[in-house]
Amino acid sequence: MTGIFSKTFHVRWGDMDFNAHMKNTAYLDISGDVRMMYFAENGFSMSGFVRLRVGPVVMRDEIEYCRELRLLEPIEVNLTLAGLSDDASRFYLRNEFFRQDGKCAARVASMGGWMDLTARKLTFPPDRLAEVLHALVRSDDFRVLDSSVRKAG
């Protein structure tokens, strides 16, 4: 893959909070959408995950706010790989939100893994899915993570 994966959105009415700027849950929703768009565009649609009986699970999200976003403002949201375990069972993904003037509005960092939808426990992703993760552009502070799957024994 070449270049950073990104999508353009507009701040919607439902994204607004009482202070007339984008609310925190809207950042999380858009981050999830961009992640799933990346997987779908690389061969892993929602129905594909269902067929494989595996799906992404987020264990922690962190939001860092930089600048306000307001109603109908266009935003560019990218996705980079900030960390990955050797077996690709654990990932650390980062979304950055940029205003039209190029200034960063926020960053969302999400730590996650892969859930076996039948056994309901963490698992390794299929090889092709691991390749899709490895294809993401790495952040400057990329780090190798510990596996999320416990070894038997």
Side-chain angles (χ1 to χ4, degrees):
M1 170 174 240
T2 60
I4 294 177
F5 184 82
S6 67
K7 293 293 179 184
T8 302
F9 296 86
H10 284 81
V11 178
R12 304 166 307 158
W13 178 259
D15 295 332
M16 304 306 293
D17 70 7
F18 182 76
N19 295 319
H21 62 245
M22 197 158 116
K23 61 187 175 183
N24 62 337
T25 55
Y27 288 100
L28 296 175
D29 289 341
I30 291 173
S31 293
D33 288 345
V34 171
R35 283 193 299 268
M36 295 312 291
M37 289 173 182
Y38 174 76
F39 291 127
E41 289 184 25
N42 286 278
F44 290 92
S45 65
M46 196 64 213
S47 61
F49 282 122
V50 170
R51 264 192 314 280
L52 290 170
R53 302 297 303 147
V54 67
V57 58
V58 172
M59 296 170 227
R60 183 179 74 226
D61 285 311
E62 296 174 351
I63 306 173
E64 176 187 356
Y65 302 101
C66 306
R67 303 259 189 301
E68 290 184 312
L69 289 174
R70 299 193 183 277
L71 184 63
L72 300 180
E73 190 170 351
I75 51 175
E76 188 78 17
V77 183
N78 70 28
L79 176 66
T80 58
L81 185 63
L84 189 65
S85 61
D86 288 335
D87 61 10
S89 67
R90 179 172 290 183
F91 55 78
Y92 188 44
L93 300 175
R94 182 173 298 133
N95 296 96
E96 293 178 302
F97 292 68
F98 291 97
R99 299 184 328 181
Q100 196 169 22
D101 64 6
K103 293 183 178 173
C104 182
R107 288 180 195 88
V108 174
S110 302
M111 181 72 71
W114 300 101
M115 181 176 280
D116 178 319
L117 299 177
T118 302
R120 307 303 292 176
K121 65 179 188 172
L122 294 174
T123 190
F124 306 102
D127 290 343
R128 175 67 186 111
L129 184 51
E131 291 171 12
V132 167
L133 275 173
H134 281 284
L136 271 168
V137 171
R138 292 181 177 201
S139 64
D140 291 337
D141 61 346
F142 174 87
R143 65 183 197 253
V144 176
L145 306 174
D146 292 332
S147 174
S148 65
V149 179
R150 294 191 177 144
K151 294 185 168 96

